[in-house]
Amino acid sequence: MAEKLIIFDTTLRDGEQSPGASMTKDEKLRIARQLERLKVDVIEAGFAASSNGDFEAIQNIANTIKDSTICSLSRANDRDIARAAEALKGANRARIHTFIATSALHMEKKLRMSPEQVLEQAKLSVRYARNLVEDIEFSPEDGYRSDVDFLCRVLEAVIKEGATTLNIPDTVGYAVPELYGNFIKTLRERIPNSDKAIWSVHCHNDLGMAVANSLAGVKIGGARQVECTINGLGERAGNCSLEEIVMAVKTRRDYFNLDVGIDTTQIVPASRMVSQTTGFVVQPNKAVVGANAFAHASGIHQDGVLKARDTYEIMRAEDVGWSANKIVLGKLSGRNAFKQRLQDLGVSLESEGELNTAFARFKELADRKSEIFDEDILALVSDESVTSEKEQYGFISLSQHSETGERPHASIVITVEGKEVHGESDGNGPVDASLKAIESNVKSGAEMVLYSVNAISGSTESQGEVTVRLQNSGRVVNGVGSDPDIVVASAKAYLSALNKLHSKADRVAAQG
Ligand code: KIV
Ligand code: ZN
């Protein structure tokens, strides 16, 4: 019997730390549901002490998700740990993940603590956490750049205090596979009680080696938990990507000889949901979930695949959840058919009110677009105005005029705290004019740092999905909007970003 590799997903915590990827409570819950369908073993739902919003998001997830262990991050202090335990109260299985930096650089410059103080703090925190919850993970932050003798002392001590999982982060993405694998192996060999805990890898992708390093940690080091995110989302160059690690271990089972419990057919839906929610578009040539990952363009490849698929295919597209664009619904589809399709896609809307709003949106869309694909439905329910009733800003209508040789002009009606207001502006193009028309009322002063458009189902008839990233007073947020008219999609995306700027409280940074 092969051993199991535990999949620990941190999309909702480390992934969300990526600038602009912050998610609302409802968005986090929706993604957590998808992670449960994917059958991830552990969902790191957030960092409870970082903000009230994150606390409530973890609480919601803990109260709803039944099959996966729910975890909260916490710094190594009693207040953070108590807050994490409180947020996790409703969970079937709860885990506290506490961390403190152990590299000389971090201890001296960031924490301003001596190694002995860090060791003591780590022990006290794990002891305290273990009194509240049975399942305790400990991470020595910047572990890979820490002195190995000191790290051995810290890890041996926290195992004695009751830590059940030891995670070795390559916090800055500095490791290379062989060295990282051997580092974990050395720790396991040198620490006398190392067999009392499960060893875990947590790799960042700054040098593009997060997946390779994690696999080396598993193969050479004997780690049995991998921490990863959907689409490799995460700060800077991101984290180890879940889809790549899972498919590597499954496809090369002959080499890794490990089992993973993931339902791989849920990988592409999860990837789409995370991308649509955060506005982080997946590059076309991304392994497993990129639009080209299974496209054979060259004649030789196509010929080979037609004769025998395994000439050029090592995985089957359908096994990771790719399905050909299917026309699923149309103008004549009723509320029940719509509800059923949402269920098939794993989307459950909280209330009848949300379902009614989503159905009204669907009807509006079906009037303008004869063929409705799964992607359209997912985009529609990702729209915040379907799931949250009380937004600061809402879209009502837009008219714009552009003609060769003339400066485009837009006139827009939006709601501000429920009241209709009207704005007008010229601009360099119709999108520019429309967003300036919004600003003429809102006067947010936010700086736009990214604008991108993507055709949801790949043709000019499809809906445009627009991502807008705004920055204001040091905060960065992404807004996503979709509509068959890309100027309207842009206005919706802009308003969605403004809503996020308006609503999100400041948070404590996990590694701050
Ligand atoms: O990268 C890191 O060090 C982390 C820890 C908080 C586990 O995310
Ligand atoms: Zn990390």
Side-chain angles (χ1 to χ4, degrees):
M1 254 267 288
E3 281 181 75
K4 180 170 182 190
L5 183 65
I6 297 168
I7 301 298
F8 175 110
D9 180 278
T10 182
T11 306
L12 300 176
R13 197 281 295 171
D14 221 350
E16 204 213 10
Q17 274 171 227
S18 177
S22 66
M23 300 169 221
T24 63
K25 268 182 289 178
D26 292 342
E27 288 169 342
K28 281 190 148 199
L29 185 59
R30 201 172 324 138
I31 291 176
R33 286 203 174 103
Q34 179 59 25
L35 293 174
E36 187 182 38
R37 278 190 288 277
L38 190 60
K39 295 193 179 8
V40 307
D41 300 287
V42 186
I43 298 174
E44 187 164 50
F47 173 18
S50 69
S51 70
N52 288 340
D54 226 27
F55 178 89
E56 285 164 22
I58 297 169
Q59 210 171 34
N60 273 351
I61 292 170
N63 291 338
T64 312
I65 302 297
K66 295 299 161 218
D67 297 341
S68 312
T69 296
I70 307 301
C71 172
S72 169
L73 185 71
S74 90
R75 287 168 297 192
N77 65 57
D78 290 1
R79 186 193 157 269
D80 270 30
I81 293 169
R83 196 86 179 126
E86 179 69 24
L88 292 168
K89 259 192 184 145
N92 261 2
R93 282 187 299 277
R95 173 180 296 188
I96 293 178
H97 176 193
T98 187
F99 75 98
I100 189 163
T102 51
S103 67
L105 184 66
H106 279 225
M107 289 189 291
E108 189 194 327
K109 302 277 191 242
K110 188 180 83 168
L111 298 177
R112 298 185 201 285
M113 286 168 80
S114 70
E116 293 313 310
Q117 285 172 319
V118 166
L119 172 62
E120 201 47 33
Q121 191 70 39
K123 279 165 49 180
L124 289 175
S125 303
V126 171
R127 191 180 307 162
Y128 180 61
R130 188 59 205 247
N131 283 328
L132 303 173
V133 165
E134 295 226 322
D135 184 348
I136 305 297
E137 174 167 331
F138 175 79
S139 287
E141 191 194 353
D142 205 19
Y144 179 66
R145 292 194 302 170
S146 302
D147 174 72
V148 71
D149 293 329
F150 177 61
L151 197 53
C152 284
R153 285 178 64 208
V154 173
L155 297 176
E156 182 179 349
V158 296
I159 299 174
K160 281 193 186 138
E161 296 294 346
T164 41
T165 299
L166 296 180
N167 179 46
I168 310 301
D170 177 23
T171 303
V172 292
Y174 180 69
V176 291
E178 194 184 349
L179 299 183
Y180 183 72
N182 280 326
F183 190 68
I184 310 257
K185 183 165 182 264
T186 304
L187 293 173
R188 289 184 59 229
E189 283 170 357
R190 285 189 40 187
I191 296 174
N193 51 0
S194 66
D195 60 329
K196 303 272 182 304
I198 291 171
W199 289 74
S200 167
V201 288
H202 178 112
C203 297
H204 282 265
N205 203 31
D206 298 68
L207 293 173
M209 290 189 278
V211 172
N213 288 336
S214 303
L215 289 171
V218 169
K219 183 72 182 173
I220 306 173
R224 289 296 175 262
Q225 174 177 286
V226 175
E227 303 204 346
C228 45
T229 59
I230 303 289
N231 299 337
L233 187 71
E235 257 178 301
R236 309 184 306 276
N239 286 57
C240 170
S241 103
L242 179 144
E243 56 280 4
E244 293 178 23
I245 205 95
V246 165
M247 291 318 290
V249 172
K250 276 194 96 102
T251 308
R252 296 306 311 270
R253 196 175 182 286
D254 59 318
Y255 178 71
F256 291 106
N257 193 26
L258 289 168
D259 283 334
V260 281
I262 296 294
D263 176 355
T264 58
T265 61
Q266 293 295 329
I267 285 180
V268 168
S271 164
R272 283 200 183 126
M273 189 182 286
V274 169
S275 160
Q276 285 184 333
T277 306
T278 59
F280 279 62
V281 176
V282 174
Q283 78 197 54
N285 58 330
K286 167 90 170 64
V288 186
V289 293
N292 287 354
F294 291 88
H296 297 278
S298 92
I300 296 175
H301 286 203
Q302 282 174 354
D303 181 53
V305 169
L306 286 177
K307 287 178 176 143
R309 283 176 77 155
D310 54 3
T311 49
Y312 287 100
E313 271 186 15
I314 57 164
M315 301 171 267
R316 295 185 329 160
E318 53 271 38
D319 290 348
V320 295
W322 282 106
S323 57
N325 282 348
K326 273 194 303 229
I327 305 164
V328 289
L329 294 173
K331 204 176 161 142
L332 299 176
S333 308
R335 194 169 177 282
N336 280 344
F338 178 68
K339 194 173 169 188
Q340 184 58 49
R341 196 62 212 155
L342 284 178
Q343 264 165 22
D344 295 346
L345 288 169
V347 177
S348 48
L349 294 173
E350 291 295 289
S351 62
E352 279 297 294
E354 281 183 10
L355 181 64
N356 291 341
T357 316
F359 185 61
R361 292 283 173 84
F362 159 72
K363 280 293 191 188
E364 250 172 58
L365 183 63
D367 271 344
R368 298 159 67 199
K369 187 172 184 289
S370 53
E371 300 170 337
I372 307 282
F373 300 101
D374 283 343
E375 290 82 348
D376 293 312
I377 297 175
L378 287 172
L380 197 131
V381 294
S382 307
D383 187 334
E384 278 148 35
S385 48
V386 169
T387 47
S388 28
E389 272 126 42
K390 289 196 200 77
E391 291 292 3
Q392 173 79 356
Y393 306 110
F395 175 82
I396 302 281
S397 64
L398 167 69
S399 85
Q400 48 82 16
H401 179 80
S402 63
E403 204 173 314
T404 312
E406 271 184 25
R407 196 163 160 78
H409 184 85
S411 162
I412 193 160
V413 182
I414 59 172
T415 53
V416 180
E417 285 178 349
K419 266 209 237 110
E420 282 193 17
V421 295
H422 172 244
E424 304 229 1
S425 179
D426 288 352
N428 282 347
V431 171
D432 189 46
S434 304
L435 304 195
K436 283 187 172 135
I438 295 175
E439 268 302 314
S440 70
N441 261 300
V442 171
K443 299 190 178 19
S444 72
E447 182 195 350
M448 186 178 299
V449 285
L450 178 131
Y451 170 82
S452 82
V453 191
N454 175 38
I456 288 185
S457 44
S459 76
T460 51
E461 286 187 351
S462 83
Q463 290 197 87
E465 183 176 57
V466 173
T467 302
V468 164
R469 186 174 301 162
L470 297 181
Q471 182 169 345
N472 204 1
S473 314
R475 287 179 52 221
V476 182
V477 293
N478 277 346
V480 183
S482 52
D483 197 275
D485 177 334
I486 58 163
V487 186
V488 173
S490 305
K492 287 181 177 174
Y494 194 77
L495 291 169
S496 142
L498 288 177
N499 280 327
K500 286 191 178 172
L501 270 182
H502 187 259
S503 71
K504 268 265 167 179
D506 282 338
R507 311 157 55 102
V508 176
Q511 274 109 326

